[in-house]
Amino acid sequence: MTRPRRGDLVAGVTVAMVLVPQSIAYAALAGLPPQAGLYAAAAAPLLAAPVGSSPYLQTGPVALTSLLVVGALAPVAPAGSSEHVALAALLALVVGAVRVLVGVTRTGVVAYLMSQPVVTAFTLAAAALIVCSQVPALVGLASPSGSPVAGAADALATPGEWSPAALGVAVAVGVITLTARRIHPLVPGALLGSLAAVLLVRWTSLDVPVVGDIPSGFPVPSLDLPWSQLPALLLPGLVIALVGFAEPASIARKYAGADRSAWDPDREFVGQGLANVGAGLVGGYPVGGSFSRSALNRLSGARTRWSGFVTGACVAAVLPFSHLLAGLPDAALAGLVIASVLPLLDPRPVLRTWRLSRPQLVVAAITLVVSVAAAPQVQWGVVAGVLASLAVHLWRELGLDVEVWRTGSTLHVRPQGVLYFGSAPRLESLVLAELAGHPDLVLVQLELQRLGRIDLTGALVLRDISRDLGRGGTAVVVSGVQPQWRQLVESVFADEPVHYTRSVRPPDPPRRRGDGP
């Protein structure tokens, strides 16, 4: 890395003041003790900073990944148990290994399997579920381990059991966090709200649930993990590795565009992978890139990746004194989490899909519904969304827009789209249907200039059409093949008595006939 600048030091310390309370809050969201969040918050930036390509990206516990973690581990171990903690560390190693492997093999393109509708719908569903998961703590009740929606509904249905003190603390911390953000992005609202809550509990003996004892000191790296459960974590780890990378990739790409600089997705995959490996080794849990902390990092004057390293070092320096945060109310953490995800509760990107593409709206709807219905195992929403995206793509590719018109005894056929093994039979059926309906036709002109791609099966179907019609006394002219597919088509037609030309005269005004989606 280049030499650190003064702005990097200021930015690193500023982000650390926000990261400390957030890491505890996000650990609670993941069903983990506060030290798991602190350990991940210290290790992840230290390991990601030297490798990544973005000078602004801040790595550590984030809300979306925390929700994915609790969902991934729900079928294996109850939240809060020692087994849950150990499995979270193992899951971080899986996520890290996948990301490092993707980055080293330079196959970061797999992240693009998640289309924009899938990402926006899943983000909206996750934000809503995160808010629901915090409702019990918001009103001072125990958080259930089942569906966040059911837990929120149960809590809201029993107002007589609410704790006014807990609700007041949560609202106050949330208001302080949001107000500080409006005053100036550099005001550490999360830290100020958390410290105010700790002091309030200590000075007034307020009767609200608190996080409890937090071990002080530095964690010892260990591989003593439940490796027998590894097969159950492979699919969730893969999903978290890819879904969770959407956030850091968006951050790096956004600021690279603003600075007119380059960013390397493969390096970011490796950096984020090492961050997760480090978090898993010290007893943390999977981490990702934070939009809010990265923006704060940039506004605070960060100019090199040293700012992330400074953030990790500052969090590590807090670990010997983490016991001082034992009095932090659970309601304050709920207020912090809700304040952090409120900007994500924006349905407009999903609703905008209605105007842009109805099929993609279906993809978004499937992702949204499955994510909420499967909660807390929200990773199935992503899987369903990816499968729906592929299905829509296949549905579109199966069809061809075909212009068909006749001039005298000549049939003109001009397909548009992709001619491959899925769509080629449709073209053949259409040509044969036209000839059956008009027996006076003696020439078929296949004009292929609007085909974006022709695969081997498509070329073979063209040959079969030409050969079969030729045997029946109908001449065939093939023209307009794009240069990149010309060698394939010419090779397929090499032994066929078919007239092949590379160009075609300007066509007559066509009669439109569309049969594609």
Side-chain angles (χ1 to χ4, degrees):
M1 292 191 296
T2 58
R3 293 179 59 184
R5 303 180 183 180
R6 180 180 178 182
D8 298 322
L9 300 177
V10 173
V13 174
T14 303
V15 173
M17 290 192 293
V18 175
L19 178 55
V20 168
Q22 278 191 348
S23 64
I24 296 175
Y26 293 150
L29 172 61
L32 297 166
Q35 63 268 25
L38 290 171
Y39 295 161
L46 289 173
L47 292 173
V51 181
S53 64
S54 173
Y56 309 115
L57 181 60
Q58 280 282 348
T59 305
V62 293
L64 179 58
T65 300
S66 299
L67 180 65
L68 287 167
V69 168
V70 73
L73 300 183
V76 187
S81 65
S82 58
E83 185 180 6
H84 184 89
V85 175
L87 287 171
L90 180 58
L91 183 60
L93 293 180
V94 174
V95 173
V98 171
R99 288 185 178 172
V100 169
L101 180 63
V102 169
V104 169
T105 57
R106 306 188 71 82
T107 54
V109 68
V110 297
Y112 294 104
L113 286 175
M114 296 177 296
S115 65
Q116 195 65 27
V118 172
V119 173
T120 54
F122 178 73
T123 300
L124 177 61
L129 291 171
I130 288 170
V131 171
C132 289
S133 71
Q134 299 304 300
V135 169
L138 190 75
V139 296
L141 300 178
S143 299
S145 58
S147 168
V149 177
D154 292 342
L156 295 175
T158 55
E161 300 179 12
W162 293 2
S163 168
L167 183 58
V169 167
V171 172
V173 171
V175 168
I176 291 173
T177 303
L178 295 174
T179 303
R181 193 180 299 165
R182 288 181 174 272
I183 294 173
H184 196 280
L186 298 184
V187 178
L191 180 65
L192 294 177
S194 301
L195 291 178
V198 171
L199 294 176
L200 181 64
V201 170
R202 179 169 298 182
W203 290 345
T204 64
S205 300
L206 199 65
D207 186 19
V208 293
V210 297
V211 299
D213 294 335
I214 303 177
S216 299
F218 301 104
V220 178
S222 173
L223 285 174
D224 185 16
L225 299 172
W227 293 99
S228 61
Q229 298 289 343
L230 181 61
L233 301 182
L234 293 179
L235 177 59
L238 177 63
V239 172
I240 294 174
L242 298 182
V243 174
F245 186 73
E247 195 168 8
S250 298
I251 296 167
R253 185 167 55 245
K254 172 185 175 181
Y255 291 129
D259 290 352
R260 297 185 178 182
S261 59
W263 76 287
D264 187 337
D266 295 311
R267 280 180 58 186
E268 294 300 346
F269 256 115
V270 174
Q272 294 294 304
L274 293 177
N276 278 274
V277 170
L281 289 176
V282 297
Y285 73 106
V287 296
S290 167
F291 269 112
S292 60
R293 296 196 300 268
S294 297
L296 177 61
N297 191 39
R298 190 169 188 263
L299 286 170
S300 302
R303 292 297 177 267
T304 73
R305 298 192 306 275
W306 276 104
S307 59
F309 191 88
V310 172
T311 297
C314 289
V315 176
V318 171
L319 294 180
F321 312 99
S322 55
H323 61 280
L324 299 175
L325 298 172
L328 187 60
D330 291 341
L333 300 180
L336 276 177
V337 172
I338 293 175
S340 298
V341 302
L342 277 180
L344 302 179
L345 282 173
D346 184 2
R348 288 175 296 179
V350 175
L351 296 177
R352 199 177 299 126
T353 311
W354 169 265
R355 178 172 53 86
L356 300 175
S357 171
R358 301 294 172 82
Q360 292 302 321
L361 177 65
V362 174
V363 172
I366 290 173
T367 304
L368 185 66
V369 170
V370 174
S371 297
V372 174
Q377 298 182 58
V378 291
Q379 68 271 13
W380 293 113
V382 177
V383 174
V386 170
L387 292 177
S389 295
L390 295 176
V392 167
H393 174 72
L394 180 60
W395 172 66
R396 288 188 182 279
E397 293 286 270
L398 281 174
L400 284 173
D401 269 340
V402 184
E403 294 174 347
V404 180
W405 72 100
R406 296 181 302 278
T407 56
S409 60
T410 300
L411 174 67
H412 298 267
V413 181
R414 182 190 293 159
Q416 177 175 328
V418 176
L419 191 67
Y420 76 117
F421 62 89
S423 61
R426 177 59 183 159
L427 176 64
E428 182 177 22
S429 299
L430 188 148
V431 171
L432 294 178
E434 288 288 335
L435 290 175
H438 303 87
D440 58 321
L441 295 172
V442 297
L443 174 65
V444 175
Q445 177 83 50
L446 296 177
E447 302 172 5
L448 310 182
Q449 60 266 37
R450 293 187 179 178
L451 285 180
R453 180 171 64 86
I454 303 175
D455 77 348
L456 177 60
T457 300
L460 291 173
V461 168
L462 290 174
R463 183 201 63 184
D464 292 343
I465 293 174
S466 303
R467 181 177 56 194
D468 295 341
L469 294 183
R471 290 173 178 173
T474 303
V476 176
V477 175
V478 179
S479 62
V481 177
Q482 297 293 336
Q484 60 269 38
W485 317 119
R486 192 171 293 156
Q487 181 178 358
L488 171 65
V489 175
E490 289 178 350
S491 298
V492 169
F493 276 85
D495 299 324
E496 296 297 320
V498 177
H499 181 63
Y500 176 90
T501 177
R502 296 188 177 187
S503 62
V504 62
R505 66 177 177 80
D508 295 325
R511 173 176 59 84
R512 184 74 178 179
R513 173 173 175 175
D515 61 349

